[in-house]
mmCIF file of all heavy atoms in Angstrom:
data_model
loop_
_atom_site.group_PDB
_atom_site.id
_atom_site.type_symbol
_atom_site.label_atom_id
_atom_site.label_comp_id
_atom_site.label_asym_id
_atom_site.label_seq_id
_atom_site.Cartn_x
_atom_site.Cartn_y
_atom_site.Cartn_z
ATOM 1 N N MET A 126 0.853 -1.179 0.000
ATOM 2 C CA MET A 126 0.000 0.000 0.000
ATOM 3 C C MET A 126 0.895 1.236 0.000
ATOM 4 O O MET A 126 1.816 1.347 0.788
ATOM 5 C CB MET A 126 -0.904 -0.016 1.228
ATOM 6 C CG MET A 126 -1.803 1.182 1.326
ATOM 7 S SD MET A 126 -2.878 1.153 2.762
ATOM 8 C CE MET A 126 -4.199 0.152 2.155
ATOM 9 N N SER A 127 0.597 2.177 -0.887
ATOM 10 C CA SER A 127 1.408 3.384 -1.002
ATOM 11 C C SER A 127 1.113 4.349 0.145
ATOM 12 O O SER A 127 0.078 4.258 0.813
ATOM 13 C CB SER A 127 1.149 4.067 -2.336
ATOM 14 O OG SER A 127 -0.148 4.625 -2.356
ATOM 15 N N LEU A 128 2.007 5.267 0.351
ATOM 16 C CA LEU A 128 1.834 6.271 1.400
ATOM 17 C C LEU A 128 0.561 7.078 1.175
ATOM 18 O O LEU A 128 -0.199 7.329 2.109
ATOM 19 C CB LEU A 128 3.044 7.196 1.456
ATOM 20 C CG LEU A 128 2.948 8.368 2.443
ATOM 21 C CD1 LEU A 128 2.777 7.854 3.860
ATOM 22 C CD2 LEU A 128 4.154 9.256 2.322
ATOM 23 N N VAL A 129 0.299 7.461 -0.065
ATOM 24 C CA VAL A 129 -0.907 8.234 -0.373
ATOM 25 C C VAL A 129 -2.158 7.431 -0.024
ATOM 26 O O VAL A 129 -3.094 7.951 0.576
ATOM 27 C CB VAL A 129 -0.922 8.658 -1.861
ATOM 28 C CG1 VAL A 129 -2.247 9.301 -2.229
ATOM 29 C CG2 VAL A 129 0.238 9.588 -2.157
ATOM 30 N N ALA A 130 -2.169 6.156 -0.387
ATOM 31 C CA ALA A 130 -3.323 5.306 -0.082
ATOM 32 C C ALA A 130 -3.521 5.184 1.427
ATOM 33 O O ALA A 130 -4.640 5.215 1.915
ATOM 34 C CB ALA A 130 -3.155 3.934 -0.717
ATOM 35 N N ARG A 131 -2.435 5.063 2.176
ATOM 36 C CA ARG A 131 -2.539 4.977 3.636
ATOM 37 C C ARG A 131 -3.095 6.263 4.232
ATOM 38 O O ARG A 131 -3.937 6.230 5.128
ATOM 39 C CB ARG A 131 -1.169 4.678 4.241
ATOM 40 C CG ARG A 131 -0.719 3.278 4.003
ATOM 41 C CD ARG A 131 0.581 2.996 4.713
ATOM 42 N NE ARG A 131 1.299 1.991 3.950
ATOM 43 C CZ ARG A 131 2.595 1.921 3.818
ATOM 44 N NH1 ARG A 131 3.373 2.788 4.425
ATOM 45 N NH2 ARG A 131 3.151 0.988 3.091
ATOM 46 N N LEU A 132 -2.617 7.407 3.731
ATOM 47 C CA LEU A 132 -3.117 8.687 4.223
ATOM 48 C C LEU A 132 -4.596 8.869 3.885
ATOM 49 O O LEU A 132 -5.373 9.336 4.720
ATOM 50 C CB LEU A 132 -2.302 9.840 3.633
ATOM 51 C CG LEU A 132 -0.881 9.979 4.162
ATOM 52 C CD1 LEU A 132 -0.120 11.021 3.362
ATOM 53 C CD2 LEU A 132 -0.889 10.340 5.635
ATOM 54 N N LEU A 133 -4.987 8.491 2.684
ATOM 55 C CA LEU A 133 -6.391 8.604 2.307
ATOM 56 C C LEU A 133 -7.267 7.677 3.137
ATOM 57 O O LEU A 133 -8.380 8.049 3.522
ATOM 58 C CB LEU A 133 -6.564 8.336 0.817
ATOM 59 C CG LEU A 133 -6.040 9.441 -0.092
ATOM 60 C CD1 LEU A 133 -6.040 8.976 -1.540
ATOM 61 C CD2 LEU A 133 -6.842 10.711 0.071
ATOM 62 N N ASP A 134 -6.784 6.468 3.431
ATOM 63 C CA ASP A 134 -7.526 5.566 4.315
ATOM 64 C C ASP A 134 -7.695 6.190 5.701
ATOM 65 O O ASP A 134 -8.763 6.132 6.294
ATOM 66 C CB ASP A 134 -6.814 4.222 4.456
ATOM 67 C CG ASP A 134 -7.045 3.308 3.286
ATOM 68 O OD1 ASP A 134 -7.961 3.581 2.474
ATOM 69 O OD2 ASP A 134 -6.314 2.306 3.187
ATOM 70 N N PHE A 135 -6.629 6.784 6.206
ATOM 71 C CA PHE A 135 -6.654 7.385 7.535
ATOM 72 C C PHE A 135 -7.635 8.552 7.606
ATOM 73 O O PHE A 135 -8.383 8.696 8.559
ATOM 74 C CB PHE A 135 -5.250 7.850 7.922
ATOM 75 C CG PHE A 135 -5.178 8.456 9.295
ATOM 76 C CD1 PHE A 135 -5.220 7.653 10.421
ATOM 77 C CD2 PHE A 135 -5.085 9.824 9.455
ATOM 78 C CE1 PHE A 135 -5.160 8.202 11.689
ATOM 79 C CE2 PHE A 135 -5.023 10.391 10.713
ATOM 80 C CZ PHE A 135 -5.055 9.574 11.836
ATOM 81 N N PHE A 136 -7.632 9.393 6.558
ATOM 82 C CA PHE A 136 -8.483 10.574 6.549
ATOM 83 C C PHE A 136 -9.830 10.348 5.875
ATOM 84 O O PHE A 136 -10.630 11.266 5.765
ATOM 85 C CB PHE A 136 -7.764 11.746 5.890
ATOM 86 C CG PHE A 136 -6.612 12.263 6.727
ATOM 87 C CD1 PHE A 136 -5.316 12.066 6.329
ATOM 88 C CD2 PHE A 136 -6.850 12.928 7.913
ATOM 89 C CE1 PHE A 136 -4.254 12.533 7.093
ATOM 90 C CE2 PHE A 136 -5.804 13.399 8.688
ATOM 91 C CZ PHE A 136 -4.506 13.192 8.277
ATOM 92 N N GLY A 137 -10.094 9.134 5.411
ATOM 93 C CA GLY A 137 -11.398 8.814 4.844
ATOM 94 C C GLY A 137 -11.572 9.175 3.388
ATOM 95 O O GLY A 137 -12.676 9.230 2.893
ATOM 96 N N GLY A 138 -10.490 9.420 2.673
ATOM 97 C CA GLY A 138 -10.574 9.774 1.262
ATOM 98 C C GLY A 138 -10.437 8.549 0.383
ATOM 99 O O GLY A 138 -10.284 7.424 0.847
ATOM 100 N N THR A 139 -10.523 8.768 -0.908
ATOM 101 C CA THR A 139 -10.330 7.690 -1.862
ATOM 102 C C THR A 139 -9.588 8.215 -3.070
ATOM 103 O O THR A 139 -9.749 9.375 -3.445
ATOM 104 C CB THR A 139 -11.662 7.050 -2.293
ATOM 105 O OG1 THR A 139 -11.359 6.007 -3.212
ATOM 106 C CG2 THR A 139 -12.608 8.027 -2.933
ATOM 107 N N ASP A 140 -8.780 7.377 -3.673
ATOM 108 C CA ASP A 140 -8.082 7.749 -4.903
ATOM 109 C C ASP A 140 -8.203 6.629 -5.924
ATOM 110 O O ASP A 140 -7.319 6.398 -6.727
ATOM 111 C CB ASP A 140 -6.626 8.108 -4.643
ATOM 112 C CG ASP A 140 -5.799 6.934 -4.166
ATOM 113 O OD1 ASP A 140 -6.391 5.914 -3.767
ATOM 114 O OD2 ASP A 140 -4.565 7.015 -4.204
ATOM 115 N N ASP A 141 -9.350 5.927 -5.922
ATOM 116 C CA ASP A 141 -9.558 4.798 -6.816
ATOM 117 C C ASP A 141 -9.379 5.174 -8.280
ATOM 118 O O ASP A 141 -8.860 4.401 -9.058
ATOM 119 C CB ASP A 141 -10.953 4.197 -6.615
ATOM 120 C CG ASP A 141 -11.086 3.494 -5.282
ATOM 121 O OD1 ASP A 141 -10.041 3.118 -4.719
ATOM 122 O OD2 ASP A 141 -12.216 3.327 -4.804
ATOM 123 N N GLU A 142 -9.830 6.370 -8.675
ATOM 124 C CA GLU A 142 -9.732 6.780 -10.063
ATOM 125 C C GLU A 142 -8.297 7.059 -10.483
ATOM 126 O O GLU A 142 -7.950 6.889 -11.635
ATOM 127 C CB GLU A 142 -10.580 8.020 -10.301
ATOM 128 C CG GLU A 142 -12.060 7.753 -10.167
ATOM 129 C CD GLU A 142 -12.861 9.014 -10.378
ATOM 130 O OE1 GLU A 142 -12.283 10.061 -10.683
ATOM 131 O OE2 GLU A 142 -14.079 8.927 -10.223
ATOM 132 N N SER A 143 -7.452 7.484 -9.574
ATOM 133 C CA SER A 143 -6.095 7.864 -9.928
ATOM 134 C C SER A 143 -5.114 6.695 -9.901
ATOM 135 O O SER A 143 -4.046 6.793 -10.457
ATOM 136 C CB SER A 143 -5.601 8.980 -9.014
ATOM 137 O OG SER A 143 -5.477 8.507 -7.691
ATOM 138 N N GLU A 144 -5.443 5.609 -9.263
ATOM 139 C CA GLU A 144 -4.525 4.481 -9.176
ATOM 140 C C GLU A 144 -4.727 3.539 -10.358
ATOM 141 O O GLU A 144 -5.607 2.704 -10.359
ATOM 142 C CB GLU A 144 -4.720 3.733 -7.866
ATOM 143 C CG GLU A 144 -4.292 4.551 -6.671
ATOM 144 C CD GLU A 144 -4.360 3.768 -5.381
ATOM 145 O OE1 GLU A 144 -4.994 2.712 -5.344
ATOM 146 O OE2 GLU A 144 -3.764 4.229 -4.406
ATOM 147 N N THR A 145 -3.897 3.714 -11.380
ATOM 148 C CA THR A 145 -4.024 2.902 -12.582
ATOM 149 C C THR A 145 -2.818 2.011 -12.820
ATOM 150 O O THR A 145 -2.789 1.271 -13.777
ATOM 151 C CB THR A 145 -4.246 3.792 -13.813
ATOM 152 O OG1 THR A 145 -3.172 4.716 -13.912
ATOM 153 C CG2 THR A 145 -5.560 4.543 -13.715
ATOM 154 N N TYR A 146 -1.819 2.082 -11.947
ATOM 155 C CA TYR A 146 -0.626 1.245 -12.058
ATOM 156 C C TYR A 146 -0.439 0.476 -10.758
ATOM 157 O O TYR A 146 -0.754 0.979 -9.689
ATOM 158 C CB TYR A 146 0.619 2.095 -12.332
ATOM 159 C CG TYR A 146 0.570 2.779 -13.668
ATOM 160 C CD1 TYR A 146 0.014 4.037 -13.803
ATOM 161 C CD2 TYR A 146 1.059 2.141 -14.802
ATOM 162 C CE1 TYR A 146 -0.046 4.658 -15.034
ATOM 163 C CE2 TYR A 146 1.014 2.750 -16.041
ATOM 164 C CZ TYR A 146 0.449 4.016 -16.146
ATOM 165 O OH TYR A 146 0.394 4.622 -17.365
ATOM 166 N N GLN A 147 0.082 -0.755 -10.861
ATOM 167 C CA GLN A 147 0.281 -1.586 -9.673
ATOM 168 C C GLN A 147 1.589 -2.345 -9.785
ATOM 169 O O GLN A 147 1.940 -2.858 -10.847
ATOM 170 C CB GLN A 147 -0.868 -2.570 -9.517
ATOM 171 C CG GLN A 147 -0.754 -3.412 -8.265
ATOM 172 C CD GLN A 147 -1.979 -4.263 -8.030
ATOM 173 O OE1 GLN A 147 -2.741 -4.537 -8.939
ATOM 174 N NE2 GLN A 147 -2.170 -4.673 -6.801
ATOM 175 N N CYS A 148 2.300 -2.451 -8.671
ATOM 176 C CA CYS A 148 3.546 -3.212 -8.620
ATOM 177 C C CYS A 148 3.223 -4.697 -8.586
ATOM 178 O O CYS A 148 2.403 -5.144 -7.780
ATOM 179 C CB CYS A 148 4.352 -2.825 -7.387
ATOM 180 S SG CYS A 148 5.884 -3.780 -7.218
ATOM 181 N N ILE A 149 3.890 -5.471 -9.452
ATOM 182 C CA ILE A 149 3.640 -6.911 -9.487
ATOM 183 C C ILE A 149 4.333 -7.634 -8.341
ATOM 184 O O ILE A 149 4.043 -8.791 -8.074
ATOM 185 C CB ILE A 149 4.062 -7.530 -10.839
ATOM 186 C CG1 ILE A 149 5.542 -7.304 -11.108
ATOM 187 C CG2 ILE A 149 3.212 -6.977 -11.965
ATOM 188 C CD1 ILE A 149 6.065 -7.999 -12.352
ATOM 189 N N ARG A 150 5.226 -6.955 -7.647
ATOM 190 C CA ARG A 150 5.937 -7.588 -6.530
ATOM 191 C C ARG A 150 5.240 -7.330 -5.197
ATOM 192 O O ARG A 150 4.896 -8.263 -4.481
ATOM 193 C CB ARG A 150 7.370 -7.090 -6.466
ATOM 194 C CG ARG A 150 8.164 -7.723 -5.359
ATOM 195 C CD ARG A 150 9.588 -7.257 -5.380
ATOM 196 N NE ARG A 150 10.361 -7.896 -4.343
ATOM 197 C CZ ARG A 150 11.543 -7.480 -3.964
ATOM 198 N NH1 ARG A 150 12.109 -6.452 -4.556
ATOM 199 N NH2 ARG A 150 12.181 -8.085 -3.005
ATOM 200 N N CYS A 151 5.023 -6.051 -4.857
ATOM 201 C CA CYS A 151 4.470 -5.733 -3.526
ATOM 202 C C CYS A 151 2.988 -5.376 -3.554
ATOM 203 O O CYS A 151 2.362 -5.315 -2.511
ATOM 204 C CB CYS A 151 5.264 -4.596 -2.881
ATOM 205 S SG CYS A 151 4.977 -2.971 -3.634
ATOM 206 N N GLY A 152 2.433 -5.102 -4.749
ATOM 207 C CA GLY A 152 1.020 -4.776 -4.853
ATOM 208 C C GLY A 152 0.688 -3.309 -4.647
ATOM 209 O O GLY A 152 -0.475 -2.926 -4.669
ATOM 210 N N GLY A 153 1.696 -2.463 -4.461
ATOM 211 C CA GLY A 153 1.450 -1.035 -4.304
ATOM 212 C C GLY A 153 0.812 -0.449 -5.554
ATOM 213 O O GLY A 153 1.110 -0.888 -6.661
ATOM 214 N N THR A 154 -0.078 0.518 -5.389
ATOM 215 C CA THR A 154 -0.747 1.133 -6.529
ATOM 216 C C THR A 154 -0.355 2.603 -6.644
ATOM 217 O O THR A 154 -0.109 3.265 -5.638
ATOM 218 C CB THR A 154 -2.276 1.007 -6.413
ATOM 219 O OG1 THR A 154 -2.699 1.508 -5.157
ATOM 220 C CG2 THR A 154 -2.718 -0.445 -6.566
ATOM 221 N N PHE A 155 -0.323 3.092 -7.895
ATOM 222 C CA PHE A 155 0.188 4.430 -8.170
ATOM 223 C C PHE A 155 -0.627 5.107 -9.255
ATOM 224 O O PHE A 155 -1.255 4.443 -10.066
ATOM 225 C CB PHE A 155 1.656 4.342 -8.605
ATOM 226 C CG PHE A 155 2.469 3.441 -7.724
ATOM 227 C CD1 PHE A 155 2.762 2.150 -8.111
ATOM 228 C CD2 PHE A 155 2.890 3.861 -6.480
ATOM 229 C CE1 PHE A 155 3.482 1.305 -7.291
ATOM 230 C CE2 PHE A 155 3.604 3.019 -5.649
ATOM 231 C CZ PHE A 155 3.905 1.740 -6.052
ATOM 232 N N ASP A 156 -0.570 6.448 -9.281
ATOM 233 C CA ASP A 156 -1.316 7.216 -10.268
ATOM 234 C C ASP A 156 -0.530 7.444 -11.551
ATOM 235 O O ASP A 156 -1.066 7.971 -12.516
ATOM 236 C CB ASP A 156 -1.748 8.551 -9.676
ATOM 237 C CG ASP A 156 -0.579 9.412 -9.242
ATOM 238 O OD1 ASP A 156 0.540 8.892 -9.170
ATOM 239 O OD2 ASP A 156 -0.792 10.605 -8.970
ATOM 240 N N ARG A 157 0.731 7.074 -11.594
ATOM 241 C CA ARG A 157 1.526 7.203 -12.813
ATOM 242 C C ARG A 157 2.532 6.061 -12.893
ATOM 243 O O ARG A 157 2.816 5.391 -11.901
ATOM 244 C CB ARG A 157 2.236 8.553 -12.861
ATOM 245 C CG ARG A 157 3.273 8.740 -11.776
ATOM 246 C CD ARG A 157 3.917 10.125 -11.875
ATOM 247 N NE ARG A 157 4.891 10.321 -10.831
ATOM 248 C CZ ARG A 157 6.185 10.020 -10.948
ATOM 249 N NH1 ARG A 157 6.656 9.525 -12.069
ATOM 250 N NH2 ARG A 157 7.002 10.216 -9.944
ATOM 251 N N GLU A 158 3.080 5.869 -14.068
ATOM 252 C CA GLU A 158 4.045 4.788 -14.283
ATOM 253 C C GLU A 158 5.394 5.180 -13.689
ATOM 254 O O GLU A 158 5.805 6.335 -13.751
ATOM 255 C CB GLU A 158 4.198 4.536 -15.776
ATOM 256 C CG GLU A 158 5.045 3.343 -16.103
ATOM 257 C CD GLU A 158 5.053 3.030 -17.575
ATOM 258 O OE1 GLU A 158 4.574 3.844 -18.383
ATOM 259 O OE2 GLU A 158 5.549 1.971 -17.933
ATOM 260 N N HIS A 159 6.073 4.218 -13.090
ATOM 261 C CA HIS A 159 7.399 4.428 -12.517
ATOM 262 C C HIS A 159 8.368 3.418 -13.120
ATOM 263 O O HIS A 159 7.982 2.301 -13.436
ATOM 264 C CB HIS A 159 7.376 4.209 -10.992
ATOM 265 C CG HIS A 159 6.553 5.197 -10.250
ATOM 266 N ND1 HIS A 159 7.038 6.410 -9.845
ATOM 267 C CD2 HIS A 159 5.260 5.158 -9.846
ATOM 268 C CE1 HIS A 159 6.090 7.069 -9.205
ATOM 269 N NE2 HIS A 159 4.999 6.327 -9.203
ATOM 270 N N TYR A 160 9.627 3.824 -13.236
ATOM 271 C CA TYR A 160 10.655 2.878 -13.672
ATOM 272 C C TYR A 160 10.904 1.853 -12.573
ATOM 273 O O TYR A 160 11.020 0.669 -12.826
ATOM 274 C CB TYR A 160 11.954 3.614 -14.019
ATOM 275 C CG TYR A 160 13.088 2.670 -14.339
ATOM 276 C CD1 TYR A 160 13.121 2.013 -15.563
ATOM 277 C CD2 TYR A 160 14.097 2.427 -13.428
ATOM 278 C CE1 TYR A 160 14.145 1.128 -15.868
ATOM 279 C CE2 TYR A 160 15.121 1.553 -13.726
ATOM 280 C CZ TYR A 160 15.144 0.905 -14.941
ATOM 281 O OH TYR A 160 16.155 0.025 -15.229
ATOM 282 N N GLU A 161 10.977 2.326 -11.331
ATOM 283 C CA GLU A 161 11.117 1.465 -10.159
ATOM 284 C C GLU A 161 9.916 1.688 -9.250
ATOM 285 O O GLU A 161 9.404 2.791 -9.153
ATOM 286 C CB GLU A 161 12.380 1.808 -9.365
ATOM 287 C CG GLU A 161 13.668 1.491 -10.062
ATOM 288 C CD GLU A 161 14.859 1.847 -9.198
ATOM 289 O OE1 GLU A 161 14.698 2.597 -8.208
ATOM 290 O OE2 GLU A 161 15.956 1.387 -9.503
ATOM 291 N N CYS A 162 9.507 0.649 -8.554
ATOM 292 C CA CYS A 162 8.402 0.782 -7.608
ATOM 293 C C CYS A 162 8.847 1.679 -6.453
ATOM 294 O O CYS A 162 9.857 1.404 -5.807
ATOM 295 C CB CYS A 162 7.995 -0.586 -7.074
ATOM 296 S SG CYS A 162 6.748 -0.498 -5.770
ATOM 297 N N PRO A 163 8.102 2.757 -6.157
ATOM 298 C CA PRO A 163 8.464 3.633 -5.044
ATOM 299 C C PRO A 163 8.365 2.953 -3.676
ATOM 300 O O PRO A 163 9.016 3.371 -2.735
ATOM 301 C CB PRO A 163 7.445 4.774 -5.128
ATOM 302 C CG PRO A 163 6.919 4.738 -6.513
ATOM 303 C CD PRO A 163 6.986 3.306 -6.936
ATOM 304 N N ASP A 164 7.549 1.897 -3.559
ATOM 305 C CA ASP A 164 7.383 1.220 -2.274
ATOM 306 C C ASP A 164 8.467 0.190 -1.992
ATOM 307 O O ASP A 164 9.028 0.146 -0.909
ATOM 308 C CB ASP A 164 6.008 0.553 -2.190
ATOM 309 C CG ASP A 164 4.878 1.562 -2.039
ATOM 310 O OD1 ASP A 164 5.156 2.743 -1.746
ATOM 311 O OD2 ASP A 164 3.727 1.166 -2.208
ATOM 312 N N CYS A 165 8.758 -0.669 -2.988
ATOM 313 C CA CYS A 165 9.715 -1.753 -2.724
ATOM 314 C C CYS A 165 11.023 -1.626 -3.507
ATOM 315 O O CYS A 165 11.975 -2.347 -3.229
ATOM 316 C CB CYS A 165 9.072 -3.118 -2.990
ATOM 317 S SG CYS A 165 8.714 -3.464 -4.725
ATOM 318 N N GLY A 166 11.076 -0.740 -4.509
ATOM 319 C CA GLY A 166 12.318 -0.464 -5.221
ATOM 320 C C GLY A 166 12.675 -1.407 -6.348
ATOM 321 O O GLY A 166 13.704 -1.239 -6.983
ATOM 322 N N VAL A 167 11.857 -2.397 -6.646
ATOM 323 C CA VAL A 167 12.181 -3.325 -7.715
ATOM 324 C C VAL A 167 11.960 -2.644 -9.065
ATOM 325 O O VAL A 167 11.012 -1.893 -9.264
ATOM 326 C CB VAL A 167 11.357 -4.635 -7.595
ATOM 327 C CG1 VAL A 167 9.902 -4.418 -7.899
ATOM 328 C CG2 VAL A 167 11.925 -5.719 -8.494
ATOM 329 N N ALA A 168 12.881 -2.865 -10.009
ATOM 330 C CA ALA A 168 12.793 -2.251 -11.333
ATOM 331 C C ALA A 168 11.820 -3.009 -12.233
ATOM 332 O O ALA A 168 11.680 -4.225 -12.120
ATOM 333 C CB ALA A 168 14.173 -2.234 -11.978
ATOM 334 N N HIS A 169 11.161 -2.287 -13.114
ATOM 335 C CA HIS A 169 10.256 -2.851 -14.129
ATOM 336 C C HIS A 169 9.093 -3.647 -13.524
ATOM 337 O O HIS A 169 8.592 -4.556 -14.164
ATOM 338 C CB HIS A 169 11.006 -3.752 -15.113
ATOM 339 C CG HIS A 169 12.148 -3.087 -15.781
ATOM 340 N ND1 HIS A 169 11.996 -2.071 -16.695
ATOM 341 C CD2 HIS A 169 13.485 -3.279 -15.660
ATOM 342 C CE1 HIS A 169 13.184 -1.684 -17.114
ATOM 343 N NE2 HIS A 169 14.105 -2.378 -16.510
ATOM 344 N N ALA A 170 8.655 -3.316 -12.336
ATOM 345 C CA ALA A 170 7.595 -4.103 -11.700
ATOM 346 C C ALA A 170 6.236 -3.427 -11.745
ATOM 347 O O ALA A 170 5.247 -4.038 -11.415
ATOM 348 C CB ALA A 170 7.949 -4.385 -10.245
ATOM 349 N N VAL A 171 6.173 -2.167 -12.172
ATOM 350 C CA VAL A 171 4.910 -1.441 -12.159
ATOM 351 C C VAL A 171 4.234 -1.568 -13.516
ATOM 352 O O VAL A 171 4.799 -1.214 -14.537
ATOM 353 C CB VAL A 171 5.120 0.036 -11.793
ATOM 354 C CG1 VAL A 171 3.811 0.789 -11.757
ATOM 355 C CG2 VAL A 171 5.802 0.140 -10.430
ATOM 356 N N VAL A 172 3.012 -2.124 -13.515
ATOM 357 C CA VAL A 172 2.265 -2.351 -14.757
ATOM 358 C C VAL A 172 0.897 -1.689 -14.672
ATOM 359 O O VAL A 172 0.370 -1.462 -13.593
ATOM 360 C CB VAL A 172 2.090 -3.858 -15.039
ATOM 361 C CG1 VAL A 172 3.432 -4.517 -15.263
ATOM 362 C CG2 VAL A 172 1.361 -4.555 -13.915
ATOM 363 N N ARG A 173 0.320 -1.393 -15.835
ATOM 364 C CA ARG A 173 -1.021 -0.787 -15.886
ATOM 365 C C ARG A 173 -2.044 -1.823 -15.468
ATOM 366 O O ARG A 173 -1.999 -2.965 -15.865
ATOM 367 C CB ARG A 173 -1.330 -0.288 -17.287
ATOM 368 C CG ARG A 173 -2.680 0.410 -17.378
ATOM 369 C CD ARG A 173 -2.945 0.965 -18.759
ATOM 370 N NE ARG A 173 -2.160 2.133 -19.051
ATOM 371 C CZ ARG A 173 -2.449 3.373 -18.663
ATOM 372 N NH1 ARG A 173 -3.515 3.578 -17.909
ATOM 373 N NH2 ARG A 173 -1.700 4.386 -18.991
ATOM 374 N N THR A 174 -2.999 -1.398 -14.651
ATOM 375 C CA THR A 174 -4.093 -2.274 -14.237
ATOM 376 C C THR A 174 -5.331 -1.947 -15.047
ATOM 377 O O THR A 174 -5.447 -0.871 -15.615
ATOM 378 C CB THR A 174 -4.411 -2.109 -12.735
ATOM 379 O OG1 THR A 174 -4.823 -0.767 -12.507
ATOM 380 C CG2 THR A 174 -3.227 -2.460 -11.869
ATOM 381 N N THR A 175 -6.284 -2.884 -15.085
ATOM 382 C CA THR A 175 -7.536 -2.647 -15.786
ATOM 383 C C THR A 175 -8.694 -2.861 -14.816
ATOM 384 O O THR A 175 -8.594 -3.644 -13.874
ATOM 385 C CB THR A 175 -7.700 -3.605 -16.973
ATOM 386 O OG1 THR A 175 -7.652 -4.945 -16.496
ATOM 387 C CG2 THR A 175 -6.609 -3.398 -17.996
ATOM 388 N N ASP A 176 -9.784 -2.159 -15.045
ATOM 389 C CA ASP A 176 -10.965 -2.290 -14.197
ATOM 390 C C ASP A 176 -11.967 -3.292 -14.742
ATOM 391 O O ASP A 176 -13.041 -3.469 -14.205
ATOM 392 C CB ASP A 176 -11.660 -0.930 -14.050
ATOM 393 C CG ASP A 176 -10.816 0.043 -13.258
ATOM 394 O OD1 ASP A 176 -9.972 -0.422 -12.479
ATOM 395 O OD2 ASP A 176 -11.008 1.262 -13.409
ATOM 396 N N GLU A 177 -11.629 -3.953 -15.840
ATOM 397 C CA GLU A 177 -12.568 -4.888 -16.473
ATOM 398 C C GLU A 177 -12.580 -6.212 -15.783
ATOM 399 O O GLU A 177 -11.762 -6.703 -15.194
ATOM 400 C CB GLU A 177 -12.196 -5.071 -17.935
ATOM 401 C CG GLU A 177 -12.284 -3.749 -18.689
ATOM 402 C CD GLU A 177 -11.859 -3.911 -20.119
ATOM 403 O OE1 GLU A 177 -12.704 -4.395 -20.890
ATOM 404 O OE2 GLU A 177 -10.734 -3.575 -20.446
#
């Protein structure tokens, strides 16, 4: 879980629309593509997710 997601959970917010990328290693979700996962640091692990 990303820091933003934790803060939104704590304060009762949601960012479901902005989280379109997910790390295949740790499961962290992000609003933009990263070369390395900001949560666990593994390279090439962040992929686009689909809502279908």
